[in-house]
Amino acid sequence: SNNATLTASANSASTPKAQTIAVNTTDGVRGVVMQTLDLKSTIGDSNLTDVRVYVKTDSVTTSAPTALYLYDGSTLLSSASVTVASGSGTVNFQNLDVAIAKDTTKTLTVKADFPSTAVGVASTTILTSGAETNTTMFETADGSSKEVTISSAITGNDVHLYADSAPIWTLVSANAVGSAGVVSVASSSITGTIVLNVKANGGTLTKP
């Protein structure tokens, strides 16, 4: 009854690509999705109890979030304030009670609030079980506490924070057409076309 294994990995499909965000200089910005992760239980049922999340910024204070949140879909599981020193900080979500049945996968989301003064780059990471011991934990059916298996660091992409206004980029299309070389001629070519859309969010922007 205590042989269950809970394995955590990145949910690449749901984790946002690197993003730019216009920060309201009065209210800040709330509920920014930083990353998602999948938790799969095998052998037996599991109950997630603890998750440790690292915050990384490009400065000590200006890009630091004020709070992190852990969600199961639209359900808030836990929240915690963030203290960043020398560009990094740690948030421990403790006393969780997230049941994950055998052979099923639960997807959780990490979100963040940023203050009205936020400018810079921030990201979140859940480190491997080898790098961090007894930090991201679960209980088996008999109440035994075990460590969640994390083989590769689960890292969210960078969030770029801009005061008032920011360019929001989206991919419209991308294609490439190749022209192969001929016999005895060591040459070929590829013509690539990438079309992007940029939206001025929060204010007027000027193209350089």
Side-chain angles (χ1 to χ4, degrees), residues 98-164:
V98 183
I100 306 173
K102 176 180 178 292
D103 296 328
T104 63
T105 299
K106 176 80 71 174
T107 300
L108 303 183
T109 303
V110 177
K111 298 183 180 182
D113 288 347
F114 291 92
S116 60
T117 54
V119 176
V121 184
S123 63
T124 58
T125 299
I126 300 170
L127 296 181
T128 65
S129 47
E132 288 291 313
T133 57
N134 299 323
T135 55
T136 300
M137 307 294 293
F138 73 101
E139 290 181 351
T140 58
D142 68 350
S144 299
S145 183
K146 298 177 69 175
E147 190 167 358
V148 176
T149 302
I150 307 173
S151 58
S152 299
I154 305 170
T155 302
N157 293 306
D158 287 343
V159 175
H160 297 260
L161 304 158
Y162 293 86
D164 281 332

Side-chain angles (χ1 to χ4, degrees), residues 19-40:
Q19 54 186 316
T20 54
I21 293 178
V23 177
N24 186 298
T25 53
T26 300
D27 301 322
V29 59
R30 296 181 176 274
V32 177
V33 176
M34 303 298 289
Q35 65 178 119
T36 58
L37 63 147
D38 289 336
L39 293 139
K40 184 175 183 179

Side-chain angles (χ1 to χ4, degrees), residues 12-206:
S12 301
S14 298
T15 294
K17 304 295 185 183
Q19 54 186 316
T20 54
I21 293 178
V23 177
N24 186 298
T25 53
T26 300
D27 301 322
V29 59
R30 296 181 176 274
V32 177
V33 176
M34 303 298 289
Q35 65 178 119
T36 58
L37 63 147
D38 289 336
L39 293 139
K40 184 175 183 179
S41 184
T42 54
I43 303 175
D45 297 341
S46 301
N47 194 73
L48 182 70
T49 58
D50 300 88
V51 175
R52 173 173 284 186
V53 180
Y54 279 84
V55 177
K56 181 181 179 181
T57 70
D58 64 344
S59 62
V60 176
T61 57
T62 60
S63 54
T66 53
L68 285 190
Y69 304 88
L70 186 66
Y71 277 86
D72 175 7
S74 60
T75 302
L76 177 62
L77 300 175
S78 185
S79 62
S81 59
V82 181
T83 300
V84 171
S86 300
S88 63
T90 304
V91 172
N92 293 313
F93 294 114
Q94 298 176 314
N95 301 315
L96 302 172
D97 185 17
V98 183
I100 306 173
K102 176 180 178 292
D103 296 328
T104 63
T105 299
K106 176 80 71 174
T107 300
L108 303 183
T109 303
V110 177
K111 298 183 180 182
D113 288 347
F114 291 92
S116 60
T117 54
V119 176
V121 184
S123 63
T124 58
T125 299
I126 300 170
L127 296 181
T128 65
S129 47
E132 288 291 313
T133 57
N134 299 323
T135 55
T136 300
M137 307 294 293
F138 73 101
E139 290 181 351
T140 58
D142 68 350
S144 299
S145 183
K146 298 177 69 175
E147 190 167 358
V148 176
T149 302
I150 307 173
S151 58
S152 299
I154 305 170
T155 302
N157 293 306
D158 287 343
V159 175
H160 297 260
L161 304 158
Y162 293 86
D164 281 332
S165 58
I168 308 301
W169 295 88
T170 53
L171 176 66
V172 176
S173 63
N175 65 77
V177 178
S179 175
V182 296
V183 176
S184 301
V185 179
S187 67
S188 59
S189 65
I190 293 178
T191 299
T193 303
I194 301 173
V195 180
L196 300 172
N197 182 74
V198 59
K199 177 182 177 181
N201 186 35
T204 300
L205 299 176
T206 301

